[in-house]
Amino acid sequence: MAETSNGAVPEDAPVFVISVAAQLAGMHAQTLRQYDRLGLVTPGRTVGGGRRYSTRDVALLREVQRLSQDEGVNLAGIKRIIELESHVDALQERVAELLDQLAVAQAEVMRHRAPSTALMVWKPQRRHR
């Protein structure tokens, strides 16, 4: 299992068996299996095919429970919400990348820009009467 530089387990590392993930998410393991079948959550798999859930998966399952129980959203709606939120996250990451690239390009332009020694004189035009 991969660890971060500070020794912590990454939030997307598949570490929890289904019973633990279900307990952490506040649901029955069978409900978690149903959510897996519907594609609401996609656990990692062991070599033998066992499901392993990450901390991120557990947080997602909690959100699914909240949307279902507190907000009254059906499972198809929840799936669409998750898809759209994922899309928004990806777009926000892309915007951040593009802003970084723009900043680098602007700095490069400014670095190569020759200082101007030109002097511009402005003379108002005389009106002809």
Side-chain angles (χ1 to χ4, degrees), residues 13-18 21 42-46 49-54 57:
V15 294
F16 303 114
V17 294
I18 192 165
T42 306
R45 297 285 181 165
T46 64
R51 295 174 175 92
R52 293 293 184 271
Y53 296 86
S54 67
D57 292 330

Side-chain angles (χ1 to χ4, degrees), residues 35-49:
Y35 290 170
D36 183 9
R37 280 192 300 277
L38 293 172
L40 295 175
V41 66
T42 306
R45 297 285 181 165
T46 64
V47 175

Side-chain angles (χ1 to χ4, degrees), residues 1-128:
M1 173 181 352
E3 291 185 357
T4 60
S5 59
N6 64 2
V9 176
E11 69 173 8
D12 59 344
V15 294
F16 303 114
V17 294
I18 192 165
S19 60
V20 173
Q23 183 178 14
L24 291 171
M27 64 180 62
H28 193 277
Q30 194 58 38
T31 304
L32 205 162
R33 285 184 189 93
Q34 178 187 7
Y35 290 170
D36 183 9
R37 280 192 300 277
L38 293 172
L40 295 175
V41 66
T42 306
R45 297 285 181 165
T46 64
V47 175
R51 295 174 175 92
R52 293 293 184 271
Y53 296 86
S54 67
T55 303
R56 183 178 290 152
D57 292 330
V58 171
L60 178 60
L61 290 166
R62 286 181 183 147
E63 179 65 4
V64 169
Q65 285 288 85
R66 187 191 70 76
L67 288 168
S68 176
Q69 294 175 358
D70 298 346
E71 304 294 330
V73 180
N74 67 25
L75 294 179
I78 291 170
K79 184 172 184 176
R80 186 68 179 138
I81 289 168
I82 292 168
E83 289 169 353
L84 290 171
E85 286 179 344
S86 176
H87 189 66
V88 166
D89 290 344
L91 288 172
Q92 288 173 333
E93 286 178 22
R94 182 64 179 139
V95 166
E97 290 171 7
L98 291 171
L99 287 172
D100 288 345
Q101 290 175 8
L102 178 60
V104 168
Q106 287 174 331
E108 189 70 16
V109 166
M110 295 305 289
R111 195 169 61 94
H112 290 342
R113 187 182 213 179
S116 176
T117 57
L119 176 64
M120 182 178 277
V121 178
W122 179 76
K123 291 184 181 179
Q125 290 183 346
R126 293 187 181 178
R127 290 189 168 191
H128 299 287

